[in-house]
Each structure stands twice: as C-alpha cells, then as structure tokens.
Amino acid sequence: MEFKIAVLAGDYIGPEVMAEAIKVLEAVGEKFNHTFHFNEALIGGAAWDEYREHLPKQTLDICENSDAILLGAVGGPVSEQLKPKWLNVSTNALLPLRKRFDLFANLRPAKLFPALASACPLKKEIAERGFDILVVRELTGGIYFGEPRGRDGSGDEERAVDTMVYSRREIKRVAHVAFKAAQVRRKKVTSIDKANVLTSSILWREVVEEVARDYPDVACDSMFVDNATMQLVRDPAQFDVILAGNMFGDIISDEAVGITGSLGMGASASLGEGTFGLYEPSGGSAPDIAGKGIANPLAQILSGGMMLKYSLSMEKESNAIEKAVEKVLNGGKVRTPDIGGSSTTREVGDAIVEAL
Ligand code: NAD
C-alpha cells in the first residue's frame, strides 16, 4: 500500500528525532511491503525564517494532501519567548492545526516499561508494580478556546477573562473515543472533572455517565482532578484509560508521562472523526540539548507507531515498532542520557531498526 505523510519536523531537537522516526518507518515499509511518501514542510520558528509565519499556507496544503501528519516540536528557548520568531509560536502553529482538522481527541499513552523502572521518579515499590495508562484529552474545546476571553478595565479594576465551556456534543464524541479505547485495553475509564465546583464539569460528568451506558463491558468512575493528580503518584496502576477535558487533560497527561521517567518517552496521537490524525511527542523542542545528538528519539518513533495504528490501520506494523522499542530497552545497552544511558539519538534509531 502507498501512503502520503506530511512531515513537520519543526525546531531544535525536532529534526534530530524526526530523522530517526523516518528511518524506522522506512524499515517498517521495507519489512511489510508498504511505501510511505514523506512530504516535508516547515512549521514554527523554521517556518518563520522563511515565511514570517508559524503555520504557512504551503504547510497546510501539504497536510491537507496527506493521510496523516507526523510532527516534531515547535518553539525556541524559554528565555527568548518574546522575540518575534518565537512569540506565541505554539498558539500560532499547533492550535490552528488541531482546529483546522478538528482533532478533538488527544491520546497519550504513559507506560512504564519494566526495563525503565529505575528511571521512574516514584518509590521503588510503586515503580516495580508498573503502570500502563492511556490519557484521552479533549483537545479543541474547554477553557483554551472558550469565548469570551480577553482583558478589560484599568488600574485595580483591570480584569482578565477565560471561559470554560463545553457542549454536550463535544463531551460525547471524546467520551466515545475513551470508551472504545478501553474496550481493547483493561476495560476501565476514569473520568476527571471538578463537578463539586464547576458547572461545565457537572455537564461533563452527566454526559460521560450517559455514554458509559453504551459500553456495559467497560467500568466507569469519576474522580475530582485534585484527587486524580495525587492518586497518579500514589498508585498509578489503578488507572487504565483516563478521560479529561482540555486543561485538566493537559496537566494530567504531562504528569502521567513524567512518572514514566522522561518526556522523551511520551508519544501522542490527535484524532478527529475519521482516520486522519496528527502524531507528535509529548515534549517540546528541548533547546537545552539540541545539536548535541543526545535527544531521546523514542517518543517520536512511538508516535510514528501510533500513526500506523490509528491513521493507516496497520496494527501489526505498529506492534512491531513497540516490540522493537521494548527489545532495545530490555537489552539495557542502548539508551540516551535522559533514561540513564550514554547512547546518541542516531544509535538508538539504528538499534530500533536492527531490532525490527
Ligand atoms: P521541553 O519539553 O522542550 O523540555 C523540557 C525538558 O525535557 C528539557 O530538559 C529537555 O531537555 C527534556 N526533553 C524534552 N524532550 C526530550 C527528549 N526527546 N529527549 C531528552 N530530553 C528531552 O519543554 P520546555 O523546555 O519548557 O520548552 C522548550 C520549547 O518547547 C518552548 O519553546 C516550548 O514552548 C516548546 N514546547 C513545544 C511543544 C510542542 O511542540 N508540542 C510542547 C511543549 C513545549
């Protein structure tokens, strides 16, 4: 089969880890007899240098003509955020991309590979039990998009407003994604809200409970977000699928990936109603380690694996990537510094290809 993939490597470590993901996908293509056409396009600071825009039309056109988008990361050093090249780069590049393709469901696996138990920042006995969580975060609604927003007034009366708003339709469609995912996992959904305080959370909980009735094989409970952040570090093994709105999901998913040991391990998929999707690591462009050849490429490689599964219906090819990653980690020798090794980005990519 032939597929067109839009490749938006982005800034700093983006191109470094992307090169390894492409190498791995090409190896998968060879092994399983598929042809991937990788169409590169600029995004973020890299696009700014060329077009004075963070998401130029040329890039959107390439995305529109593809079966899926594989994205690296955008952004500059934290100390340079106010320079025009980096100002609001995530808002300008990533939010419109998600909105344009209506990618309302963000799937972020947080799995502690047994071989990496020592990289887990939690107590040894918790790490040794392991965990395998899938966070499903609503991505195009809630407080990050709600209107009205903005500032008014002056002096001590100046105010800033954001609006947390969810419609029944928005909650329903992302809840279905979470329950369907749970059906092929350990059959449990924990929905995160703040229904003791927020009206939008009360609707969230009502709708999730309604959707749950369509999935009698899946257990469903709700948890307040403050408790959930605490439970996640006390007993992460209790969770299977975590379902959350945009802001709570943003926070919870970073925490969940963080306890696996490194942001460099966190893959993600952003999906809409069809098979089209955007796949990217959970971490950012990591300017602090860029150019040194030590960035962990596994998040990008595993994001490529998610792309095969969710956009290209290649379940066994996707599993082959996961197995190869597990094999290399179990081998214990080839690891980048963030997970306790001394290998380079390229050596890790080569080892995954070899394992495949
Ligand atoms: P970051 O995720 O880039 O880095 C945080 C820490 O994690 C750093 O110490 C970094 O070295 C480490 N890290 C991240 N990915 C790694 C990898 N693959 N291998 C090894 N270590 C890794 O976050 P930050 O430093 O707060 O932000 C840097 C820039 O990235 C900012 O401009 C920010 O806006 C942007 N950002 C972009 C995205 C995105 O493109 N989706 C997400 C988050 C942050």
Side-chain angles (χ1 to χ4, degrees):
M1 300 261 294
E2 293 202 18
F3 298 95
K4 285 188 281 185
I5 315 295
V7 174
L8 319 185
D11 303 312
Y12 288 97
I13 65 163
E16 299 173 28
V17 291
M18 185 64 84
E20 303 313 312
I22 301 285
K23 197 155 81 185
V24 169
L25 288 169
E26 274 172 345
V28 168
E30 221 166 88
K31 185 174 157 81
F32 294 92
N33 216 5
H34 303 297
T35 306
F36 300 115
H37 299 284
F38 297 108
N39 299 318
E40 293 183 15
L42 298 171
I43 193 166
W48 180 270
D49 287 342
E50 183 93 11
Y51 301 105
R52 291 290 179 270
E53 277 181 75
H54 291 125
L55 182 63
K57 184 179 175 306
Q58 289 83 342
T59 297
L60 273 176
D61 287 347
I62 286 182
C63 294
E64 268 162 22
N65 284 306
S66 300
D67 298 299
I69 305 171
L70 193 58
L71 183 102
V74 297
V78 174
S79 60
E80 294 180 22
Q81 296 294 310
L82 298 182
K83 291 189 175 167
K85 178 171 173 178
W86 302 121
L87 189 66
N88 296 330
V89 50
S90 293
T91 320
N92 294 342
L94 302 180
L95 298 195
L97 205 52
R98 293 167 185 164
K99 214 45 183 177
R100 164 67 192 81
F101 294 101
D102 206 9
L103 303 172
F104 61 84
N106 182 224
L107 274 54
R108 288 212 210 175
K111 179 173 170 180
L112 183 63
F113 288 92
L116 288 188
S118 62
C120 172
L122 303 180
K123 272 194 201 155
K124 194 158 168 269
E125 57 268 31
I126 300 175
E128 276 167 359
R129 281 182 68 196
F131 54 86
D132 179 1
I133 301 167
L134 178 71
V135 179
V136 177
R137 165 190 170 195
E138 201 288 327
L139 201 58
T140 50
I143 197 165
Y144 292 176
F145 289 93
E147 296 288 346
R149 59 192 292 148
R151 289 163 72 148
D152 60 27
S154 59
D156 281 352
E157 301 310 315
E158 183 178 3
R159 306 182 318 154
V161 180
D162 294 292
T163 301
M164 183 118 154
V165 51
Y166 266 118
S167 69
R168 201 166 255 283
R169 185 180 70 87
E170 286 173 315
I171 303 166
K172 216 190 261 180
R173 63 183 187 172
V174 74
H176 279 292
V177 173
F179 281 95
K180 287 196 174 100
Q183 278 185 315
V184 293
R185 292 175 49 97
R186 299 191 311 280
K187 299 189 166 44
K188 182 178 173 194
V189 170
T190 305
S191 173
I192 308 301
D193 62 40
K194 191 73 187 169
N196 49 343
V197 178
L198 299 173
T199 322
S200 56
S201 276
I202 294 172
L203 181 67
W204 180 275
R205 191 176 281 214
E206 278 173 19
V207 175
V208 170
E209 285 174 1
E210 281 168 29
V211 171
R213 287 185 215 127
D214 292 347
Y215 302 86
D217 52 331
V218 177
C220 174
D221 60 2
S222 290
M223 202 180 266
F224 296 137
V225 62
D226 38 355
N227 183 28
T229 54
M230 191 266 289
Q231 292 294 336
L232 204 48
V233 291
R234 249 181 45 126
D235 179 19
Q238 70 182 287
F239 296 106
D240 176 19
V241 173
I242 292 179
L243 167 64
N246 208 341
M247 181 168 65
F248 297 156
D250 192 1
I251 297 164
I252 285 274
S253 59
D254 255 35
E255 186 186 3
V257 172
I259 57 173
T260 67
S262 171
L263 261 183
M265 298 295 301
S268 85
S270 302
L271 307 171
E273 294 285 3
T275 58
F276 189 84
L278 182 153
Y279 302 84
E280 58 176 328
S282 308
S285 61
D288 55 332
I289 57 164
K292 297 181 181 161
I294 55 165
N296 189 340
L298 293 180
Q300 189 77 63
I301 290 169
L302 290 166
S303 298
M306 292 185 85
M307 174 180 82
L308 298 184
K309 181 168 168 182
Y310 292 106
S311 281
L312 311 183
S313 301
M314 294 183 189
E315 187 91 22
K316 69 174 183 302
E317 291 85 340
S318 175
N319 289 341
I321 292 185
E322 258 207 45
K323 287 270 167 311
V325 168
E326 222 163 323
K327 190 170 173 193
V328 169
L329 292 175
N330 287 341
K333 286 204 190 87
V334 189
R335 292 178 187 177
T336 42
D338 56 305
I339 49 172
S342 59
S343 308
T344 64
T345 309
R346 190 176 301 163
E347 282 163 356
V348 174
D350 289 345
I352 304 292
V353 169
E354 183 68 31
L356 267 171

